[in-house]
Amino acid sequence: MTDTEKPLNFIEKVIEEDLASGKTKQVQTRFPPEPNGYLHIGHAKSICLNFGLAQKYGGQCNLRFDDTNPAKEDVEYVESIKEDVKWLGFEWADEVKFSSGYFDQLYDWAVHLIKEGKAYVCDLTQEETREYRGTLTEPGKNSPFRDRSVEENLDLFERMRDGEFEDGARSLRVKIDMAHGNMHMRDPIIYRIKNMAHHQTGDKWHIYPSYDYAHGQGDAIEGVTHSVCTLEFAEHQPLYNWFIENLPVPAIPRQYEFSRLNVNYLVTSKRKLKQLVDENIVNGWDDPRMPTISGMRRRGFTAQSIRNFIESTGVTRVDGVVDMSQLEFSIREDLNENAPRAMCILRPLKVTLWNVPEENSTDYLVAPNHPQNEEMGTRTLIFDREIYIDKEDFREEANKKYKRLVIGKRVRLRNAYVIEADEAVKDKNGEIIEVKARIIEGTLGNNPADGIKPKGVIHWVSAIQNVDCEVRLYDRLYNDVAPDAGGKDHLESINPNSLEVLTGCKGEVSLQAPRTDIPYQFEREGYYFLDKDSDVDKDLEEQKLVFNRTIGLRDTWEK
RNA sequence: UGGGACGUCGCCAAGUGGUAAGGCUCUGGGUUUUGAUCUCAGCAUUCGUAGGUUCGAUCCCUACCGUCCCAGCCA
């Protein structure tokens, strides 16, 4: 159709070559989170990549929990991760996989390595192990236990498995090269003793495999063809391959690394996000200010907008930081097209239209749900003698840059009449509490007959019949563009004003039974999504409506 | 002065031995009952730097500079 087809990223190129050469019959990928926290926007990239690749090339993608460290994991996280992946719009192949599901096989393979003389039980303590490992610039020394006999290793390893030793007393190591330039190749530890229950395997094990020992073999067992991970694992690739070459695995997976997603003003480190939750800086993992999938969902981000955003940032090996504006563009782009419009007054100011008769003042007007898309239908607006407009939309006097209501000037009420302000009523403190104005007859759908056209349009809501609600406005969580760069403590740049709660907001009557599937665009304000703190099942009088501002409208007005 | 990776517009990101796509941001104009949307236009003589090879280099070679990752019985 067009000649602007999207260029392939480097992983897609590899896959297309492998498919063309016949090296790969069917693409198999996997998304392998450790269930030790909630998924965040960074994970979304890995999810979109892994599931997207499988989808694009007619293959499959597994969801595999890399649960080799019971000390940090919990079922709470496996459930939330499943939910988030589904919500993002992806389906994993058959049942969910667990690295812990391969513990028996992994154990047998460890015995195999021992029998081949390639693995040994080491009695060095953690501190000694570190000393023996050497440093970045100096080679390490061989462990004094490196040359134990196969029989002794077999016996010790079996006793490790049976829970005979204390945590950390011994470890199983693979015999590679203590002088290797790559630290991960200096006799890495593949099993450690942890006398601790596991959320999936219960009390069965007293030893648990390391990531390095479990990951590649898990890939091989599942027939993963392209094991895609982030750049920090590039260092592990030689070891990943070493296991594949030295074990009788059923398939040969290959690892490819891409750079992780960074967005400025955000932090994507499970540890730091957990800190925000634990120290009550935010209200849970799904706080709308969190860059977690659940937080963004609650905020009103759509799965489509997140997928589009990820797609727009590309897949490379370059360490970069994506501008927040790119994320904002993706959500506005989606919501502009799909969000139904409504009017809601955040900071109400009463306007009395004195020339509307007091008796039977209520009028019913029809407004489109979307200005460019008729298929989205219409809604009924209630117009009255008394209405609310936003405090920001009225000034007693203003320069001509100001296109809103000013005394002696006209403004159009969105979807309704043109009005002209006559007088501002103030309280004893001099604060404006009401505006007296009048409607210009015949301006519903028409310009004023006298030719004096209003300069601007403002939104409004009937002061007699409306829906009371709470609106939560969110600002960035951090004031620093790079809250945790260069070892900075992200807590020091927390924005104390990241949440502003507005109560007594007045929404148009159609908001009485609000949609829960997509945000609304509150015209001239932004996009707002119903929060789970709402209670819409109760009687009208008791119902509680809470809206989160997903994102404001683009604002190019130079004030 | 150990090993590995990466450096193309403010931010992402294509590209290739033959004379720098696209998106975001930004700037200016038009339309508009959302200061939104839409729309038009502008925005890298230059590809980290310096040499070299070549008729010609962002792309090849060399050196240098810069950034990131690795010394968990974390993943």
Side-chain angles (χ1 to χ4, degrees), chain A residues 293-424:
Chain A
I293 302 301
S294 50
M296 294 175 79
R297 175 169 62 230
R298 184 170 172 191
R299 171 101 168 229
F301 277 80
T302 57
Q304 183 67 56
S305 72
I306 292 174
R307 282 188 250 117
N308 289 349
F309 168 65
I310 297 298
E311 182 72 21
S312 79
T313 60
V315 179
T316 68
R317 292 174 64 88
V318 184
D319 291 307
V321 182
V322 178
D323 212 286
M324 176 65 91
S325 66
Q326 201 159 331
L327 210 208
E328 294 177 341
F329 171 80
S330 296
I331 183 60
R332 287 198 183 105
E333 180 188 42
D334 184 20
L335 263 20
N336 173 56
E337 189 183 334
N338 300 307
R341 313 286 127 128
M343 293 194 284
C344 183
I345 304 300
L346 269 37
R347 299 168 179 87
L349 171 62
K350 187 154 95 175
V351 175
T352 301
L353 302 165
W354 59 264
N355 64 340
V356 170
E358 290 190 46
E359 297 299 310
N360 299 319
S361 76
T362 300
D363 197 2
Y364 298 89
L365 307 175
V366 175
N369 287 328
H370 193 288
Q372 278 87 228
N373 183 1
E374 281 187 29
E375 288 178 15
M376 288 178 73
T378 60
R379 65 193 197 273
T380 300
L381 259 26
I382 292 178
F383 184 80
D384 270 303
R385 189 170 189 272
E386 290 183 351
I387 61 172
Y388 287 123
I389 65 170
D390 197 283
K391 285 193 172 104
E392 298 276 296
D393 288 338
F394 174 77
R395 286 186 194 172
E396 290 185 86
E397 49 190 72
N399 62 27
K400 46 182 190 216
K401 282 268 207 180
Y402 187 79
K403 300 180 5 183
R404 308 174 186 184
L405 190 61
V406 176
I407 289 186
K409 297 283 169 49
R410 293 176 178 182
V411 81
R412 162 137 248 145
L413 294 180
R414 177 76 169 150
N415 295 308
Y417 304 90
V418 172
I419 63 171
E420 186 168 323
D422 295 311
E423 178 192 354

Side-chain angles (χ1 to χ4, degrees), chain A residues 64 106 109 112-113 118 174 176 185 211-225 227 236-255:
Chain A
R64 177 164 90 232
L106 258 10
W109 279 336
H112 172 87
L113 287 174
K118 291 172 180 168
V174 108
I176 303 181
M185 297 296 267
Y211 160 84
D212 285 304
Y213 182 63
H215 202 91
Q217 283 71 277
D219 286 342
I221 291 168
E222 294 175 13
V224 168
T225 52
S227 183
H236 299 243
Q237 202 190 303
L239 182 54
Y240 180 103
N241 293 336
W242 189 94
F243 289 121
I244 296 302
E245 285 156 19
N246 287 279
L247 255 15
V249 292
I252 313 291
R254 288 294 174 216
Q255 175 178 307

Side-chain angles (χ1 to χ4, degrees), chain A residues 486-519:
Chain A
K488 273 183 291 188
D489 178 0
H490 68 294
L491 297 183
E492 289 185 0
S493 56
I494 286 286
N495 173 9
N497 306 311
S498 59
L499 169 64
E500 185 184 356
V501 178
L502 264 27
T503 53
C505 303
K506 307 295 182 186
E508 65 171 66
V509 122
S510 74
L511 257 17
Q512 236 163 47
R515 287 179 64 158
T516 54
D517 57 335
I518 190 166

Side-chain angles (χ1 to χ4, degrees), chain A residues 286-290 293-301 328 473-476 498 519 527-531 548-552:
Chain A
D286 69 345
D287 185 297
R289 292 165 292 182
M290 290 284 271
I293 302 301
S294 50
M296 294 175 79
R297 175 169 62 230
R298 184 170 172 191
R299 171 101 168 229
F301 277 80
E328 294 177 341
L473 305 178
Y474 301 102
D475 196 357
R476 47 177 59 120
S498 59
Y527 298 96
Y528 293 78
F529 190 51
L530 190 73
D531 189 75
N548 293 316
R549 180 172 67 191
T550 309
I551 181 88

